Amino acid sequence: MEFKIQNENFILNGEKTFLNSGEIHYFRIKKELWDTHLAAAKEAGLTTVSTYVPWAWHEPEEGLFDFTGKTLPERDLHSWVAKCQEHGLMCTLKPGPFILAEYRGAGLPDWFLEKYVPEVKMHNSKGDVVASDGVSLFHPTYLEKVEKWYDQIMPFISERELSKGGPVILMQICNEIGVFSWLAHQADYNQFVEEKFQQFIKDKNPSIDYWNKLWKTYYYDFEAIQLPPDGRLPYENIEDRGRDYEWHLFWRRYYADYLRMLTDMARLRGVAVPFYHNLPGWIYGNGYEFPVNITMYEDLFQDRSDIIFGVDHIPEFMSYRNLHDDRIINDITFAMQGKKPLFAAEFQCGSREYHVVTNNTEMELFYKASVANGLTGWNYYMFSQGRNPERKGYSGSTFYWFNPMTPEGEKTNAFPLVQRMNKIISTSEKLIVNAKRKAEIAVLFYPPYYATELERPTDAKSDVVFNYAAIRRPAYFDGLLKILQVLNIEYDMLDLNATNAVEMSAYKQVWSFTTDEMNAAEQQKLADYMKNGGQAVIFPNLPKREMNGNACTILRDVIGVHSDEVYSFDSPLLDIAGFKDIKCANPQMIFRENHLQDAEIIARNIEGKICGFRKNIGKGNVTHLGTWLGFDTEAHREVYQALVRASGANLHQGNTNNRDIIVRQRFTDEGAGMLFIGNYFNENHVGKVTYRHPKTHESLTIPYAQEKMEFPATYGILSPLNMLLGSDLCLLHTTSDVLNIENTTNSVDLQLFGHRDLLGEMLIEGNISQVKKVYVENEEVPFKIINNRLLINYKHTHQNQISLKIIF
């Protein structure tokens, strides 16, 4: 047997597979209940279980390692892994050294912390210990102890890999290592960090004169270079801000070097399974800061390592307020790490905070949307609730709440939902792992705009009109990226650092959130895209320097405008693209009419000053708006839609006549696909959905033969499209969850599930003349033949599966 990663997919025995996993912590469950939990995982339809392997748990005293339960039964890792295999489950192991997991000390042994703290801890610039669980990652004492831990655990994992007859398919290499600096807004100022930063700068350019000129400093050699200040000290000038950019780039190399080092340690000790690392970032149900954490590992993305990165999806609640967040996180992760699987390594299933009470209705909507947003694997976090070992729990005795299983092995009301989702995944797996988005619009993501975990205050000394860290949420994350989803406009995300003008040319229109600063290479990519026929929408500014502070006006030169006139006024409004009194932000970049003789003026503020234009550039054009709109009024919908329509691109694959319904469609190369319809409001909505036949591209509707349908509150439909049922019949769409399909010589039997307020509908095409009768729950129901397609309507029953049988 073999498990591997190939491009965007997990591969099991040569076939693409959806990695369907659940988290169960053996050390938080009594050993006598392990079988109960593993049997429940199998019953729920999981194929894999995941667990941390805490260093602190298995080396309770320095040099004393226990993997057999000789000191405590729950330390018997041998038996845990063996039992996973006995229950027919594959296994993911996460041996740290850091595990976090609300485990005191983040998984580092007590004896280590007692003996070597404060020496190994992170320190601030004053030499004080940073109040976090983080350590100085290259401290020799820390690394010495990590190597001894790896000497024990890595051979254990290696011997139990799937390729050697065991159940282990995947290993996490440390966990969320950048989170300590992000949460504390604090770097480590240990001596080893200073030495590495000096070498990092020297490797980039070996001339100290270059750096002195760039930073306006007077260092006589690289050993004299001082680390940038921490705390809340504002930037002194442009050069200080530019040095801070290098400081953030250094940390991306620092984390990469650390994880590469751990990877090498594990490989040298025989571990051959794929590695992954977690990306955290949700804050109280919102993901707007998540991209900061993604960029922290930029030096490991694309082909720079064999580590894949799994996202933590913890939305806490699902509603119209955060309906867009998980897709944005997925899109940025996919764009940055390249063609690798989208995997939710911590996929919300319960809550780590007792006051955050999850419910099945919201979780079901989130789970279905996650499939529509491209996930090809997830790990329910947590499948089983746990009880912390004495004095080990960060939050006391209980770990997580509202999970499918209690620590005592009892199923909760969350269990049936997980079981049903796993049946959906199993039935439509081939479509899910092969389906791709089709888009003619792209949005660029520029990583430096999110390299801000250590950012200091920006004031007038920085000469910044638009501070990207201050406006990226309302202008970009909750603005542009949300409105495109609300309008059901299909778009792809491109990493501007990693992409090129040729890849960009596949899109008719590209949107770029661009401020005062952008590096020359990326400015040139945008310029080349336009010259070669692309249509760029750039807002809210045109760059005048690179991220390091060097003057750079490539985009301004190509476009032919150089305005630095800045204007602000109370309650700013624009007339834009034919719409009047559109709310916008302060400030606005103002352009003189005599500089735009060959341009179309598209935006003026209400005092008549020009702040937006469209202009031909080579074979293409640029639409530039010298401010930003966000998305907090109804009128913004019409403005964005007009700007996108100007591209002439095909904007929608799926859409609806109800502006409050979300529709997303994905396609396979074989002419099938998946369709998601989501109502994120706490009230029912009525409407009609259109989608494209994935093979013929014909426009089809749900409902098929009626004018409208009621879509239940906070509910999602996830339908396979043009899925082969057998006997020359294809399921075009359904409003039901398809849980199982069985073929006999004279029938097709389907197990379905649906909301009681939702009309059951199934549309079938193919050799429909062979269909004689249709039964729902053993009662014959009528069907219609419309346009040579078979239409079946039926009722869903409350919280119960129904059977639908087609008789030939």
Side-chain angles (χ1 to χ4, degrees), residues 98 106 113 121-122 129-135 179-181 183-184 186:
F98 277 99
L113 297 174
K121 296 288 281 186
M122 292 171 58
V129 172
V130 174
S132 82
D133 288 323
V135 302
V179 75
F180 302 115
S181 287
L183 291 176
Q186 174 66 58

Side-chain angles (χ1 to χ4, degrees), residues 465-466 540-542 556 563-575 582-591 603-612 624-629:
V465 177
F466 293 99
N541 204 357
L542 297 172
R556 292 185 176 212
S563 172
D564 280 322
E565 184 180 348
V566 180
Y567 193 80
S568 296
F569 60 102
D570 290 341
S571 304
L573 298 174
L574 289 180
D575 294 341
I582 302 301
K583 181 182 177 183
C584 69
N586 277 324
Q588 298 103 48
M589 302 301 298
I590 302 303
F591 303 96
R604 296 178 185 266
N605 66 24
I606 57 175
E607 296 187 6
K609 297 180 182 293
I610 299 170
C611 61
H624 176 58
L625 184 61
T627 185
W628 55 272
L629 302 179

Side-chain angles (χ1 to χ4, degrees), residues 615-632:
K615 183 179 181 181
N616 291 331
I617 307 294
K619 298 177 182 178
N621 63 59
V622 63
T623 299
H624 176 58
L625 184 61
T627 185
W628 55 272
L629 302 179
F631 175 34
D632 55 7

Side-chain angles (χ1 to χ4, degrees), residues 196-317:
K196 284 183 174 293
F197 179 68
Q198 292 164 349
Q199 188 61 50
F200 171 79
I201 294 299
K202 186 176 182 180
D203 289 344
K204 288 194 72 173
N205 192 312
S207 169
I208 194 66
D209 293 337
Y210 168 85
W211 295 106
N212 280 328
K213 182 180 179 181
L214 183 65
W215 295 341
K216 291 187 176 179
T217 52
Y218 302 95
Y219 297 124
Y220 53 87
D221 60 23
F222 284 94
E223 287 69 29
I225 291 178
Q226 298 178 349
L227 301 183
D230 55 359
R232 304 303 297 170
L233 185 67
Y235 296 118
E236 289 291 326
N237 46 43
I238 295 171
E239 292 77 19
D240 187 18
R241 183 175 169 88
R243 182 178 62 162
D244 204 62
Y245 168 67
E246 303 292 349
W247 182 227
H248 281 86
L249 289 183
F250 161 73
W251 282 102
R252 278 133 188 80
R253 175 65 55 81
Y254 184 89
Y255 296 132
D257 286 347
Y258 171 73
L259 290 175
R260 286 192 189 103
M261 178 184 62
L262 293 185
T263 297
D264 290 344
M265 286 184 189
R267 295 291 187 221
L268 286 171
R269 288 160 177 79
V271 178
V273 296
F275 291 153
Y276 78 96
H277 190 80
N278 277 38
L279 299 171
W282 286 83
I283 301 174
Y284 303 118
N286 291 282
Y288 57 87
E289 281 293 293
F290 204 110
V292 175
N293 286 275
I294 300 174
T295 69
M296 292 167 79
Y297 303 94
E298 185 175 12
D299 203 52
L300 290 162
F301 292 147
Q302 303 294 328
D303 58 356
R304 293 187 285 270
S305 78
D306 63 353
I307 301 172
I308 69 163
F309 286 81
V311 298
D312 293 359
H313 271 323
I314 314 292
E316 297 188 357
F317 57 85

Side-chain angles (χ1 to χ4, degrees), residues 627-641:
T627 185
W628 55 272
L629 302 179
F631 175 34
D632 55 7
T633 75
E634 186 177 36
H636 284 150
R637 303 172 67 119
E638 310 305 326
V639 174
Y640 281 105
Q641 193 147 268

Side-chain angles (χ1 to χ4, degrees), residues 675 677 687-689 691 700-704 709 711 733 735 761:
L675 180 69
I677 305 168
K688 191 168 192 171
V689 168
Y691 69 94
L700 300 171
T701 64
I702 300 177
Y704 186 65
M709 173 182 284
F711 295 96
H733 73 240
T735 58
E761 176 166 302

